[in-house]
Short mmCIF file of all heavy atoms in Angstrom, two decimals:
data_model
loop_
_atom_site.label_atom_id
_atom_site.label_comp_id
_atom_site.label_asym_id
_atom_site.label_seq_id
_atom_site.Cartn_x
_atom_site.Cartn_y
_atom_site.Cartn_z
N GLU A 1 7.93 0.89 6.24
CA GLU A 1 9.26 0.83 6.95
C GLU A 1 9.78 2.35 6.97
O GLU A 1 9.50 3.07 6.05
CB GLU A 1 10.26 -0.03 6.29
CG GLU A 1 9.79 -1.57 6.32
CD GLU A 1 9.87 -2.17 7.58
OE1 GLU A 1 10.82 -1.78 8.43
OE2 GLU A 1 8.98 -2.97 7.86
N THR A 2 10.59 2.59 7.99
CA THR A 2 11.10 3.93 8.23
C THR A 2 11.87 4.35 6.97
O THR A 2 11.73 5.44 6.48
CB THR A 2 11.98 3.89 9.44
OG1 THR A 2 11.19 3.63 10.60
CG2 THR A 2 12.64 5.30 9.66
N GLU A 3 12.74 3.53 6.43
CA GLU A 3 13.47 3.85 5.29
C GLU A 3 12.56 4.17 4.03
O GLU A 3 12.95 5.11 3.29
CB GLU A 3 14.46 2.78 4.77
CG GLU A 3 15.29 2.07 5.85
CD GLU A 3 14.55 1.04 6.72
OE1 GLU A 3 13.93 0.10 6.05
OE2 GLU A 3 14.47 1.13 7.85
N ASN A 4 11.56 3.44 3.98
CA ASN A 4 10.70 3.62 2.81
C ASN A 4 9.85 4.95 3.07
O ASN A 4 9.55 5.68 2.03
CB ASN A 4 9.74 2.54 2.57
CG ASN A 4 10.38 1.16 2.02
OD1 ASN A 4 11.42 1.37 1.46
ND2 ASN A 4 9.83 0.14 2.33
N ASN A 5 9.47 5.22 4.24
CA ASN A 5 8.77 6.45 4.57
C ASN A 5 9.63 7.67 4.20
O ASN A 5 9.21 8.56 3.66
CB ASN A 5 8.46 6.42 6.01
CG ASN A 5 7.01 6.92 6.29
OD1 ASN A 5 6.47 7.78 5.64
ND2 ASN A 5 6.36 6.24 7.31
N TYR A 6 10.93 7.56 4.60
CA TYR A 6 11.92 8.71 4.30
C TYR A 6 12.11 8.77 2.83
O TYR A 6 12.07 9.92 2.26
CB TYR A 6 13.23 8.33 5.03
CG TYR A 6 14.17 9.46 5.14
CD1 TYR A 6 14.07 10.52 6.07
CD2 TYR A 6 15.27 9.52 4.29
CE1 TYR A 6 14.94 11.52 6.18
CE2 TYR A 6 16.18 10.55 4.36
CZ TYR A 6 16.00 11.51 5.25
OH TYR A 6 16.92 12.61 5.29
N SER A 7 12.17 7.69 2.10
CA SER A 7 12.28 7.68 0.62
C SER A 7 11.20 8.26 0.05
O SER A 7 11.31 9.11 -1.04
CB SER A 7 12.55 6.28 0.17
OG SER A 7 12.71 6.30 -1.26
N LEU A 8 9.91 7.94 0.44
CA LEU A 8 8.72 8.59 -0.07
C LEU A 8 8.63 9.99 0.14
O LEU A 8 8.34 10.78 -0.80
CB LEU A 8 7.48 7.88 0.57
CG LEU A 8 6.16 8.29 0.04
CD1 LEU A 8 5.91 8.19 -1.37
CD2 LEU A 8 4.97 7.54 0.99
N ILE A 9 8.96 10.34 1.36
CA ILE A 9 8.95 11.91 1.59
C ILE A 9 9.98 12.58 0.69
O ILE A 9 9.63 13.65 0.14
CB ILE A 9 9.28 12.18 3.14
CG1 ILE A 9 8.06 11.77 3.99
CG2 ILE A 9 9.69 13.63 3.42
CD1 ILE A 9 8.37 11.63 5.53
N ASN A 10 11.10 12.06 0.46
CA ASN A 10 12.04 12.59 -0.37
C ASN A 10 11.57 12.77 -1.80
O ASN A 10 11.68 13.69 -2.50
CB ASN A 10 13.38 11.81 -0.41
CG ASN A 10 14.33 12.07 0.77
OD1 ASN A 10 14.36 13.27 1.24
ND2 ASN A 10 14.86 11.07 1.27
N GLN A 11 11.01 11.70 -2.33
CA GLN A 11 10.42 11.64 -3.67
C GLN A 11 9.34 12.73 -3.77
O GLN A 11 9.21 13.44 -4.82
CB GLN A 11 9.78 10.20 -3.98
CG GLN A 11 10.84 9.23 -4.21
CD GLN A 11 11.87 9.56 -5.29
OE1 GLN A 11 11.41 9.92 -6.42
NE2 GLN A 11 13.07 9.37 -4.95
N LEU A 12 8.49 12.84 -2.84
CA LEU A 12 7.39 13.87 -2.88
C LEU A 12 7.93 15.32 -2.97
O LEU A 12 7.64 16.13 -3.76
CB LEU A 12 6.45 13.77 -1.78
CG LEU A 12 5.62 12.35 -1.81
CD1 LEU A 12 4.80 12.20 -0.56
CD2 LEU A 12 4.69 12.43 -3.06
N PHE A 13 9.00 15.58 -2.13
CA PHE A 13 9.67 16.90 -2.22
C PHE A 13 10.34 17.09 -3.51
O PHE A 13 10.17 18.24 -4.06
CB PHE A 13 10.64 17.09 -1.04
CG PHE A 13 10.17 17.50 0.30
CD1 PHE A 13 10.29 16.76 1.43
CD2 PHE A 13 9.25 18.58 0.42
CE1 PHE A 13 9.78 17.16 2.61
CE2 PHE A 13 8.68 18.95 1.61
CZ PHE A 13 8.95 18.28 2.72
N LEU A 14 11.09 16.07 -4.01
CA LEU A 14 11.78 16.27 -5.30
C LEU A 14 10.91 16.56 -6.51
O LEU A 14 11.29 17.08 -7.49
CB LEU A 14 12.69 15.07 -5.54
CG LEU A 14 13.93 14.97 -4.55
CD1 LEU A 14 14.58 13.64 -4.72
CD2 LEU A 14 14.88 16.14 -4.85
N SER A 15 9.60 16.12 -6.44
CA SER A 15 8.66 16.41 -7.48
C SER A 15 8.54 17.80 -7.86
O SER A 15 8.17 18.10 -8.94
CB SER A 15 7.37 15.74 -7.15
OG SER A 15 6.64 16.54 -6.23
N LYS A 16 8.76 18.73 -6.94
CA LYS A 16 8.45 20.15 -7.02
C LYS A 16 7.01 20.46 -7.35
O LYS A 16 6.85 21.65 -7.74
CB LYS A 16 9.44 20.62 -8.16
CG LYS A 16 10.88 20.62 -7.71
CD LYS A 16 11.75 21.49 -8.61
CE LYS A 16 13.20 21.44 -8.18
NZ LYS A 16 13.99 22.45 -8.93
N SER A 17 6.12 19.55 -7.10
CA SER A 17 4.78 19.86 -7.24
C SER A 17 4.24 20.32 -5.89
O SER A 17 4.59 19.80 -4.78
CB SER A 17 3.95 18.46 -7.49
OG SER A 17 2.65 18.56 -7.07
N PHE A 18 3.52 21.47 -5.81
CA PHE A 18 3.06 21.98 -4.70
C PHE A 18 2.20 20.90 -3.80
O PHE A 18 2.50 20.80 -2.64
CB PHE A 18 2.21 23.22 -4.93
CG PHE A 18 1.56 23.87 -3.70
CD1 PHE A 18 2.21 24.36 -2.68
CD2 PHE A 18 0.16 23.69 -3.56
CE1 PHE A 18 1.56 24.91 -1.48
CE2 PHE A 18 -0.54 24.21 -2.48
CZ PHE A 18 0.14 24.81 -1.41
N GLU A 19 1.35 20.30 -4.45
CA GLU A 19 0.48 19.44 -3.76
C GLU A 19 1.25 18.20 -3.16
O GLU A 19 1.10 17.78 -2.07
CB GLU A 19 -0.58 18.90 -4.63
CG GLU A 19 -1.71 19.95 -4.93
CD GLU A 19 -1.36 20.81 -6.11
OE1 GLU A 19 -0.21 20.85 -6.64
OE2 GLU A 19 -2.18 21.80 -6.46
N LYS A 20 2.13 17.74 -3.97
CA LYS A 20 3.12 16.58 -3.44
C LYS A 20 3.97 16.98 -2.29
O LYS A 20 4.25 16.30 -1.34
CB LYS A 20 3.91 15.93 -4.59
CG LYS A 20 3.09 15.22 -5.60
CD LYS A 20 3.89 14.58 -6.70
CE LYS A 20 3.04 13.99 -7.74
NZ LYS A 20 3.84 13.38 -8.84
N GLN A 21 4.35 18.29 -2.30
CA GLN A 21 5.19 18.81 -1.32
C GLN A 21 4.39 18.97 0.01
O GLN A 21 4.82 18.76 1.13
CB GLN A 21 5.98 20.02 -1.63
CG GLN A 21 7.11 19.75 -2.58
CD GLN A 21 8.03 20.97 -2.84
OE1 GLN A 21 7.76 22.05 -2.53
NE2 GLN A 21 9.11 20.68 -3.57
N VAL A 22 3.14 19.31 -0.15
CA VAL A 22 2.24 19.50 1.01
C VAL A 22 2.05 18.10 1.54
O VAL A 22 2.11 17.89 2.83
CB VAL A 22 0.89 20.13 0.65
CG1 VAL A 22 -0.12 20.08 1.77
CG2 VAL A 22 1.12 21.60 0.22
N ILE A 23 1.89 17.00 0.82
CA ILE A 23 1.66 15.73 1.24
C ILE A 23 2.99 15.30 2.02
O ILE A 23 2.89 14.58 3.02
CB ILE A 23 1.28 14.74 0.17
CG1 ILE A 23 -0.22 15.07 -0.29
CG2 ILE A 23 1.33 13.32 0.58
CD1 ILE A 23 -0.68 14.36 -1.50
N ALA A 24 4.09 15.64 1.42
CA ALA A 24 5.36 15.27 2.04
C ALA A 24 5.50 15.89 3.42
O ALA A 24 5.89 15.20 4.44
CB ALA A 24 6.53 15.75 1.27
N CYS A 25 5.05 17.08 3.59
CA CYS A 25 4.94 17.87 4.91
C CYS A 25 4.05 17.02 5.86
O CYS A 25 4.37 16.97 7.01
CB CYS A 25 4.47 19.24 4.64
SG CYS A 25 5.62 20.41 3.91
N MET A 26 2.89 16.64 5.34
CA MET A 26 1.92 15.95 6.11
C MET A 26 2.60 14.59 6.68
O MET A 26 2.39 14.17 7.89
CB MET A 26 0.66 15.61 5.39
CG MET A 26 -0.16 16.88 5.12
SD MET A 26 -1.65 16.48 4.12
CE MET A 26 -2.64 15.67 5.19
N LEU A 27 3.24 13.91 5.79
CA LEU A 27 3.94 12.61 6.24
C LEU A 27 5.15 12.98 7.15
O LEU A 27 5.29 12.22 8.19
CB LEU A 27 4.47 11.92 4.97
CG LEU A 27 3.39 11.38 4.06
CD1 LEU A 27 3.97 10.86 2.76
CD2 LEU A 27 2.58 10.26 4.75
N LEU A 28 5.92 13.98 6.93
CA LEU A 28 6.92 14.37 7.85
C LEU A 28 6.41 14.68 9.18
O LEU A 28 6.94 14.32 10.22
CB LEU A 28 7.69 15.50 7.22
CG LEU A 28 9.05 15.86 7.88
CD1 LEU A 28 10.01 14.75 7.89
CD2 LEU A 28 9.68 17.06 7.05
N GLU A 29 5.25 15.51 9.18
CA GLU A 29 4.66 15.81 10.55
C GLU A 29 4.19 14.53 11.29
O GLU A 29 4.37 14.47 12.50
CB GLU A 29 3.49 16.69 10.25
CG GLU A 29 2.63 17.08 11.45
CD GLU A 29 1.37 17.90 11.11
OE1 GLU A 29 1.06 18.14 10.04
OE2 GLU A 29 0.69 18.21 12.15
N ARG A 30 3.68 13.65 10.53
CA ARG A 30 3.16 12.42 11.21
C ARG A 30 4.34 11.46 11.67
O ARG A 30 4.21 10.81 12.81
CB ARG A 30 2.28 11.61 10.23
CG ARG A 30 1.58 10.56 10.91
CD ARG A 30 0.54 9.84 10.01
NE ARG A 30 0.01 8.71 10.44
CZ ARG A 30 -1.21 8.68 11.06
NH1 ARG A 30 -1.96 9.72 11.26
NH2 ARG A 30 -1.79 7.50 11.54
N TYR A 31 5.42 11.41 10.95
CA TYR A 31 6.41 10.45 11.24
C TYR A 31 7.87 11.01 11.61
O TYR A 31 8.81 10.30 11.54
CB TYR A 31 6.62 9.54 9.95
CG TYR A 31 5.32 8.82 9.61
CD1 TYR A 31 4.64 9.12 8.50
CD2 TYR A 31 4.82 7.89 10.46
CE1 TYR A 31 3.55 8.51 8.22
CE2 TYR A 31 3.64 7.22 10.19
CZ TYR A 31 2.98 7.48 9.01
OH TYR A 31 1.76 6.88 8.69
N TYR A 32 7.91 12.28 11.85
CA TYR A 32 9.19 12.97 12.12
C TYR A 32 9.96 12.22 13.33
O TYR A 32 11.17 12.11 13.33
CB TYR A 32 8.98 14.35 12.59
CG TYR A 32 8.42 14.51 13.98
CD1 TYR A 32 9.42 14.79 15.00
CD2 TYR A 32 7.15 14.48 14.16
CE1 TYR A 32 8.92 14.95 16.34
CE2 TYR A 32 6.69 14.67 15.58
CZ TYR A 32 7.53 14.90 16.56
OH TYR A 32 7.11 15.03 17.84
N TYR A 33 9.24 11.66 14.19
CA TYR A 33 9.89 10.92 15.34
C TYR A 33 10.61 9.73 15.01
O TYR A 33 11.53 9.24 15.65
CB TYR A 33 8.75 10.66 16.44
CG TYR A 33 7.76 9.73 15.94
CD1 TYR A 33 7.98 8.23 16.15
CD2 TYR A 33 6.61 9.99 15.29
CE1 TYR A 33 7.11 7.29 15.64
CE2 TYR A 33 5.70 9.14 14.84
CZ TYR A 33 5.93 7.77 15.10
OH TYR A 33 5.02 6.90 14.55
#
């Protein structure tokens, strides 16, 4: 769901892990619309 996708992206960014933030970027790129 869109809300869950947004929440997941937030969680990955908040982790401050480089790799998790890269994955957050990948998800944001795929679902930004």
Side-chain angles (χ1 to χ4, degrees):
E1 296 291 326
T2 300
E3 314 81 53
N4 289 339
N5 226 322
Y6 193 76
S7 177
L8 177 61
I9 289 167
N10 282 321
Q11 290 301 314
L12 293 170
F13 276 128
L14 288 171
S15 74
K16 295 193 177 187
S17 155
F18 172 68
E19 289 83 356
K20 288 180 183 177
Q21 287 188 349
V22 170
I23 291 172
C25 291
M26 294 175 72
L27 292 170
L28 190 57
E29 176 185 0
R30 185 172 177 99
Y31 301 110
Y32 77 95
Y33 64 90

